[in-house]
Amino acid sequence: MSFLLGHLTLDLGETAVENIFISDFMPRANGSFVKVYLLGLRYAKENGINKTNKHIAKTLGLLESDVIAAWDYWEKQGIVQVQKEEGGEDSIIFHNLKQLYIKNVYQTQKPKVRKSFAGSMSDPVVANLLAQVDFYMRKTLPYQQKQDIIQWISDYNMPPQVIEEAFYYTTEMKNIYNLKYVETVVRNWALEGIRSLEAVEAAYKKNDMRYYRFRKVMKAIGLGNKPFVQGDFDTIQSWFEDLGFSMEIVLEGAKRSMNIANPNVGYINGVMKNWKEKGIKTIEDIGVLDIKEKTRSRKVPKGFHNFTQRSDQYTAEELEAIARKKRQQFRMEKDR
């Protein structure tokens, strides 16, 4: 497919858009936000023409709140600055994306040095990254492409573990098996200062809560590197959206998989449904339920059916104290 420009017969003006915006920022943004950015860019390049958010909303057929949300989004992406003005509309300052890229990503003070492939593979962390890349891409990548991936570590100042997460997100979640697209994700994270798994998780939590839940729970179960399965994703979402459990309770449920040989989402789903039927709403409720079930499972020795085993009975206050202790233990383990 070819893309060509027709002959100019009437000049009605034009607005130049940087390719960095088109390739790196536009694909993952809300369509309405892209419209707001482009129209605002046009106004900025027309000698800073003054237009209100209300005018932009009317022009684009949007709500004014959508326009405000768009500016907030682009400011968080780091490509505009919303400057507050007293007694009037905010000013929107559009950053030069080439300068932004050079400042945050490209290290001009250091010459680009490519390490030897053999030398890089001597690092077990890098070797593991490339092995995982082959797994996620569903094929063995050629030497040159693997050399390029190794180069991302220095070019974008990005740890191998974060690059691996970019491959997981792109292939397993987006179903995109394009190396250039993965590099775009890595580059965008570099622009946003995301250079650790904790920062990636925080970004997921802010931008995609459903995916954040999925990744956090799968890691807690011990299935962080399992290929994406839509059924697992939907089941995990149901624990929050249908059963109404908090992340704290779901993670406590995930710990129950430690007792089985092959941890899986189906097993935890059974635990979650059982807790819902038993009216579980807090960590304390789980502690009380555990004590009751342990007490019920104890067998009374033959010949003592008429003997009340008072040591197996707890008062409500004792059960509450045990549950409180269990909650404190859960929090201590969570903060480690």
Side-chain angles (χ1 to χ4, degrees):
M1 180 182 294
S2 299
F3 298 89
L4 306 173
L5 293 174
H7 295 294
L8 179 64
T9 58
L10 181 64
D11 187 1
L12 298 177
E14 61 183 30
T15 301
V17 181
E18 293 177 272
N19 286 336
I20 294 176
F21 175 79
I22 296 173
S23 62
D24 294 358
F25 292 95
M26 187 177 73
R28 59 199 180 101
N30 178 289
S32 296
F33 292 177
V34 173
K35 292 180 182 179
V36 172
Y37 179 90
L38 294 176
L39 185 58
L41 182 64
R42 173 190 170 182
Y43 292 153
K45 293 193 175 186
E46 292 179 351
N47 298 318
I49 186 171
N50 187 21
K51 297 290 184 181
T52 64
N53 286 331
K54 185 175 182 179
H55 170 85
I56 294 175
K58 184 177 180 180
T59 302
L60 298 175
L62 303 173
L63 297 175
E64 187 174 354
S65 59
D66 293 334
V67 177
I68 295 172
W71 294 133
D72 180 63
Y73 172 80
W74 292 123
E75 184 172 41
K76 288 178 179 178
Q77 296 301 308
I79 65 176
V80 306
Q81 177 186 347
V82 180
Q83 185 172 293
K84 301 296 182 181
E85 303 288 351
E86 294 184 7
E89 287 274 332
D90 297 337
S91 295
I92 309 298
I93 302 173
F94 287 79
H95 295 310
N96 183 291
L97 301 188
K98 298 183 186 71
Q99 290 182 348
L100 191 68
Y101 177 81
I102 292 172
K103 177 182 177 181
N104 292 291
V105 178
Y106 188 69
Q107 302 174 3
T108 55
Q109 73 277 16
K110 294 182 180 179
K112 196 170 183 177
V113 178
R114 294 177 73 90
K115 296 181 180 178
S116 69
F117 185 75
S120 299
M121 289 298 288
S122 64
D123 184 339
V125 177
V126 175
N128 178 70
L129 167 63
L130 296 181
Q132 291 299 319
V133 166
D134 285 342
F135 171 75
Y136 290 133
M137 297 296 283
R138 306 296 192 269
K139 64 180 181 180
T140 301
L141 296 184
Y143 154 81
Q144 186 59 50
Q145 289 185 336
K146 289 186 175 181
Q147 184 70 42
D148 291 339
I149 294 170
I150 294 172
Q151 193 64 34
W152 296 353
I153 298 173
S154 57
D155 285 355
Y156 301 115
N157 190 24
M158 194 65 69
Q161 296 88 342
V162 179
I163 294 176
E164 180 183 338
E165 178 65 22
F167 272 97
Y168 182 93
Y169 178 75
T170 302
T171 58
E172 300 297 323
M173 291 302 301
K174 294 289 187 178
N175 199 30
I176 297 174
Y177 299 87
N178 183 290
L179 203 60
K180 287 295 183 183
Y181 189 92
V182 182
E183 184 178 8
T184 296
V185 173
V186 173
R187 184 189 305 118
N188 288 337
W189 285 354
L191 284 168
E192 296 170 23
I194 298 173
R195 290 189 170 85
S196 69
L197 292 178
E198 292 76 16
V200 171
E201 183 175 285
Y204 289 152
K205 188 175 183 179
K206 181 177 70 174
N207 300 320
D208 191 343
M209 177 58 74
R210 301 184 93 230
Y211 181 66
Y212 161 76
R213 293 169 179 165
F214 172 73
R215 288 297 281 155
K216 192 170 185 67
V217 173
M218 290 296 281
K219 289 180 180 178
I221 298 175
L223 303 174
N225 291 326
K226 179 186 176 183
F228 177 79
V229 176
Q230 187 66 47
D232 288 347
F233 183 88
D234 294 339
T235 298
I236 289 174
Q237 302 312 316
S238 72
W239 303 340
F240 298 93
E241 298 168 3
D242 298 333
L243 303 184
F245 287 134
S246 66
M247 178 62 77
E248 189 177 35
I249 290 179
V250 171
L251 291 180
E252 176 66 20
K255 290 169 59 178
R256 305 304 168 103
S257 66
M258 298 177 183
N259 301 323
I260 62 176
N262 298 305
N264 60 84
V265 173
Y267 178 84
I268 307 302
N269 190 44
V271 174
M272 294 290 106
K273 288 184 175 180
N274 178 58
W275 284 354
K276 184 65 176 179
E277 291 174 358
K278 298 294 176 60
I280 296 298
K281 294 181 179 179
T282 66
I283 291 293
E284 287 90 343
D285 292 341
I286 298 173
V288 171
L289 179 63
D290 286 345
I291 295 298
K292 288 182 177 179
E293 290 185 345
K294 287 180 180 179
T295 301
R296 192 179 302 116
S297 65
R298 290 174 181 166
K299 295 181 179 179
V300 179
K302 292 182 179 180
F304 292 89
H305 294 292
N306 297 324
F307 178 73
T308 302
Q309 292 182 300
R310 299 185 184 278
S311 61
D312 288 343
Q313 297 177 352
Y314 296 87
T315 66
E317 290 77 12
E318 290 172 331
L319 286 173
E320 183 177 351
I322 293 171
R324 189 182 306 112
K325 183 177 180 181
K326 185 174 183 64
R327 180 177 177 84
Q328 292 173 348
Q329 180 183 2
F330 173 83
R331 286 177 173 168
M332 290 176 63
E333 293 176 355
K334 183 179 178 183
D335 293 337
R336 288 178 183 172

